[in-house]
């Protein structure tokens, strides 16, 4: 099992343990990944043994959701460009007078309306944003009627291919914001892709913000040593938090500018205001930290 496949399989198992998926649905989604019933049962049991009780977050009202800045979102439009393996798809949000550009990397659900709204929010704060669809080679996220099948397809993408597509996304982004600095921001699986992009060497980035993204094993960030990194974690996200020391050591080793922040009383995917783990206070604080980081480095 590849690291990406294991990460997504464990995420499905933890969603079941936390009560977000029924056992039947979890087993179905794991089967789409090629995980048999016996292995899936063992995986769920292992995740359950390691899981601590989740702290209860206050219910989020619609007004609380608006405080995170979603009302500033500008519209996005679909775009395509030539990538290393064929046509790439994305959503483009144009800021009127861009201060910089942001490559937005989606979760393991693909390029959906939530990620489009994040790109629009960046544009609303003055940074033109390109949200890339890493399922472009499979026809795009929109071709999957079942979101679980989209997740399974993402799990089977070779990390090297994903990084090549991301680099092509930076090509496209720099062409759309000529003369401006650019950053990469990713969420969950996309946060892990930000770390992989840094490990692959991407000197064109000025800033990078992985949200609760797993760090690859033994990363070497020397090819991206001038990138200012803001890593955002969640206190209850034990699985991803276990990789934070690896990220810290790798960042320190090459002398990079960085800050690693852990939001209290928050769990994995707390920034996604369409998800069940959404935490308005943590999301608002993280959004402000990103804006402050960009003001300094982008």
């Amino acid at each position: 099992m590849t690291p990406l496949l294991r990460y997504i399989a464990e995420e499905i198992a933890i969603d079941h343990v936390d009560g977000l998926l029924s056992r039947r649905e979890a087993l179905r989604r794991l089967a789409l990944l090629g995980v048999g019933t016996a292995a899936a049962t063992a995986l769920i049991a292992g995740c359950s043994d390691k899981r601590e009780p989740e702290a209860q977050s206050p219910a989020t009202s619609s007004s609380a959701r608006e405080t995170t800045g979603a009302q500033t979102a500008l519209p996005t439009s679909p775009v395509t460009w030539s990538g290393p393996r064929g046509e790439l798809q994305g959503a483009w949000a144009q800021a009127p007078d861009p201060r910089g550009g942001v490559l937005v990397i989606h979760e393991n659900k693909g390029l959906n309306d939530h990620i489009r709204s994040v790109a629009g929010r960046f544009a609303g704060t003055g940074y033109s944003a390109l949200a890339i669809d890493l399922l472009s080679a499979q026809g795009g996220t929109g071709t999957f009627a079942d979101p679980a099948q989209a997740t399974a397809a993402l799990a089977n993408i070779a990390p090297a291919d994903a990084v090549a597509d991301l680099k092509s996304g930076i090509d496209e982004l720099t062409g759309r914001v000529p003369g401006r600095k650019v950053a990469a921001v990713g969420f969950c699986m996309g946060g892990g892709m930000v770390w992989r992009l840094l490990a692959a060497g991407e000197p064109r980035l000025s800033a990078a913000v992985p949200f609760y993204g797993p760090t690859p094993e033994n990363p070497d960030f020397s090819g991206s040593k001038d990138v200012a990194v803001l890593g955002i974690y969640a206190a209850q996200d034990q699985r991803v938090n276990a990789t934070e020391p690896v990220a810290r050591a790798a960042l320190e080793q090459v002398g990079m500018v960085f800050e690693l922040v852990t939001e209290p009383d928050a769990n994995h995917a707390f920034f996604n205001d369409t998800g069940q783990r959404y935490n308005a206070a943590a999301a608002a604080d993280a959004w402000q930290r990103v804006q402050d980081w960009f003001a300094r480095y982008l």
Side-chain angles (χ1 to χ4, degrees):
M1 188 181 293
T2 66
L4 179 58
L5 183 59
R6 173 168 290 280
Y7 170 78
I8 292 178
E10 289 176 346
E11 190 158 273
I12 292 169
I14 289 173
D15 281 351
H16 166 63
V17 171
D18 286 352
L20 305 185
L21 293 176
S22 68
R23 183 178 183 84
R24 180 176 182 178
E25 179 61 15
L27 291 175
R28 184 185 79 86
R29 295 189 183 195
L30 288 168
L32 289 173
L33 298 180
V35 181
T37 302
T41 300
L43 179 64
I44 290 171
C47 289
S48 181
D49 290 342
K50 296 176 183 177
R51 200 71 170 153
E52 295 177 0
E54 181 177 343
Q56 294 297 314
S57 299
T60 302
S61 67
S62 58
S63 61
R65 289 172 187 267
E66 290 175 358
T67 64
T68 64
Q71 71 275 10
T72 66
L74 296 182
T76 64
S77 58
V79 294
T80 61
W81 67 96
S82 296
R85 297 179 295 131
E87 184 178 81
L88 285 168
Q89 303 175 25
W92 171 247
Q94 174 71 51
D97 184 18
R99 293 183 282 167
V102 182
L103 182 71
V104 182
I105 310 172
H106 56 70
E107 303 168 326
N108 67 20
K109 298 176 179 64
L111 178 56
N112 55 21
D113 286 344
H114 164 63
I115 294 298
R116 291 186 187 92
S117 75
V118 173
R121 287 176 60 189
F122 277 119
T125 59
Y127 300 97
S128 292
L130 176 65
I132 190 172
D133 190 342
L134 291 175
L135 286 170
S136 296
Q138 289 75 30
T141 301
T143 64
F144 292 87
D146 180 358
Q149 291 182 331
T151 298
L154 283 165
N156 287 306
I157 295 175
D161 288 340
V163 168
D165 287 347
L166 295 175
K167 286 179 174 287
S168 179
I170 294 174
D171 291 339
E172 181 69 13
L173 180 61
T174 55
R176 288 175 176 268
V177 287
R180 302 295 184 184
K181 295 179 179 179
V182 297
V185 178
F187 303 87
C188 304
M189 181 202 80
M193 289 298 173
V194 172
W195 289 121
R196 289 185 178 276
L197 187 58
L198 294 174
E202 188 40 79
R204 293 173 297 174
L205 291 176
S206 293
V209 185
F211 272 76
Y212 29 76
T215 316
E217 293 183 3
N218 304 314
D220 178 359
F221 298 144
S222 57
S224 307
K225 62 184 179 62
D226 294 326
V227 183
V229 179
L230 174 64
I232 297 178
Y233 296 85
Q236 298 168 13
D237 190 5
Q238 303 160 43
R239 180 174 60 124
V240 173
N241 291 351
T243 71
E244 189 262 16
V246 177
R248 183 180 297 275
L251 292 164
E252 289 177 343
Q253 185 173 4
V254 294
M256 295 174 72
V257 172
F258 74 92
E259 182 178 355
L260 303 181
V261 175
T262 299
E263 292 288 348
D265 302 321
N267 207 334
H268 189 69
F270 70 79
F271 192 81
N272 186 337
D273 60 5
T274 69
Q276 293 170 279
R277 293 194 179 105
Y278 175 63
N279 183 308
D285 182 71
W287 181 251
Q288 187 58 55
R289 288 178 183 274
V290 174
Q291 297 305 311
D292 293 344
W293 198 257
F294 283 0
R296 293 169 64 186
Y297 300 108
L298 193 60

